[in-house]
């Protein structure tokens, strides 16, 4: 069977598929080329770049599986694939540690002005006085909206930093940790830091808008390493400018790469940004490649 690897895979993952007798083709197609060529493959493996649309699925007459190396499935028409009887595979836990560590990293960055002082010192400045009012994470309340695989890893690290952790997740009844499960309103009202670990559902729109910001503590810190679109960025900018949100750390954005319209947020002095690199560590990529390859082999060998 022939597998199209559209967005790359670790060497370990490719070797697992080849050892199972699968023909692995690593090839990047444009959307139009993908529709034209997908008929030649028995399965497609993507990351976040390639979109597996209804048109692609219809053209893939021989598709027996669609695999996503990562957590989110928003670039795959999952409902239509299931309607066609094509299994959709992903790796929900493989990158959890890497994303969690980045979320904590953004908390440290904004609390100690690392994003700003690093740049200014490279310009020959010595902004010791300007950045003398840092903030400790110890003793602060971290509110998690979403405590699945990634949220739990964030919670473990926050507890290790002696933070108090509360969380809201309608799908979780027990965490096995010293984390209090509360309503979303309680998370918004009582948290010093809020970290988001929820999907973006296009039909529902942003989960954090002006309405949610109004319920937050004055001076809250907001971290989003989940999905672009979860936060309404224009409302966040207003909240930053009013002081409602003291700092923000973002790895994901409504448009990626961000457009000129997002420049005010990207360049805001109280925002730490990174270019959607939550899962981009060597360790996570090895786990993602290995796990998705094993799942794909198991599915195709049934």
């Amino acid at each position: 069977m022939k597998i199209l690897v559209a967005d790359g895979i670790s060497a370990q993952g490719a070797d697992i598929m080849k050892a199972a007798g699968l023909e692995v083709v690593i090839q990047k197609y444009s959307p139009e080329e993908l529709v034209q060529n997908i008929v030649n493959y028995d399965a497609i493996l993507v990351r976040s770049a390639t979109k597996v649309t209804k048109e692609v699925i219809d053209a893939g007459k021989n598709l027996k599986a669609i695999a996503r190396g990562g957590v989110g499935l928003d670039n795959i028409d999952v409902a239509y694939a299931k309607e066609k009887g094509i299994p959709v595979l992903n790796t929900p836990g493989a990158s959890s540690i890497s994303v969690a560590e980045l979320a904590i990293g953004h908390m440290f960055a904004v609390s100690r002005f690392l994003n700003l002082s690093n740049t200014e010192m490279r310009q020959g400045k010595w902004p010791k006085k300007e950045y003398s009012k840092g903030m400790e994470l110890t003793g602060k309340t971290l509110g998690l909206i979403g405590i699945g695989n990634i949220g739990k890893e964030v919670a473990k690290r926050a507890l290790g930093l002696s933070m108090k952790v509360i969380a809201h997740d309608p799908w979780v009844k027990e965490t096995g940790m010293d984390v209090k499960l509360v309503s979303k309103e309680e998370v918004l009202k009582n948290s010093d830091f809020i970290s988001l670990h929820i999907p973006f559902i296009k039909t529902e729109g942003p989960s954090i808008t002006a309405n949610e910001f109004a319920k937050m503590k004055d001076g809250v810190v907001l971290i989003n390493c989940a999905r672009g679109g979860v936060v309404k960025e224009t409302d966040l900018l207003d909240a930053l400018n009013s002081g409602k949100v003291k700092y923000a750390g973002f790895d994901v954005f409504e448009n990626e790469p961000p457009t000129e319209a997002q420049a005010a947020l990207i360049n805001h002095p109280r925002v730490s940004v990174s270019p959607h690199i939550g899962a981009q560590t060597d360790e996570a990529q090895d786990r993602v490649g290995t796990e998705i390859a094993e799942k794909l082999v198991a599915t195709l060998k049934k």
Side-chain angles (χ1 to χ4, degrees), residues 226-272:
R227 278 288 180 265
V230 166
V231 178
K232 188 172 182 181
E233 292 177 2
T234 53
D235 290 355
L236 170 60
L237 188 59
D238 290 341
L240 283 161
N241 290 334
S242 72
K244 167 60 78 170
V245 174
K246 189 172 185 179
Y247 305 116
F250 269 52
D251 183 52
V252 290
F253 304 89
E254 289 178 358
N255 298 295
E256 296 182 357
T259 65
E260 186 62 32
Q262 295 165 281
L265 178 63
I266 301 296
N267 295 311
H268 198 285
R270 287 185 282 111
V271 175
S272 172

Side-chain angles (χ1 to χ4, degrees), residues 52 54 57 66 76-88:
V52 185
K54 179 178 182 293
I57 294 169
I66 298 169
I76 299 172
D77 193 331
V78 177
Y80 191 66
K82 289 183 177 178
E83 184 182 318
K84 290 288 188 176
I86 303 171
V88 178

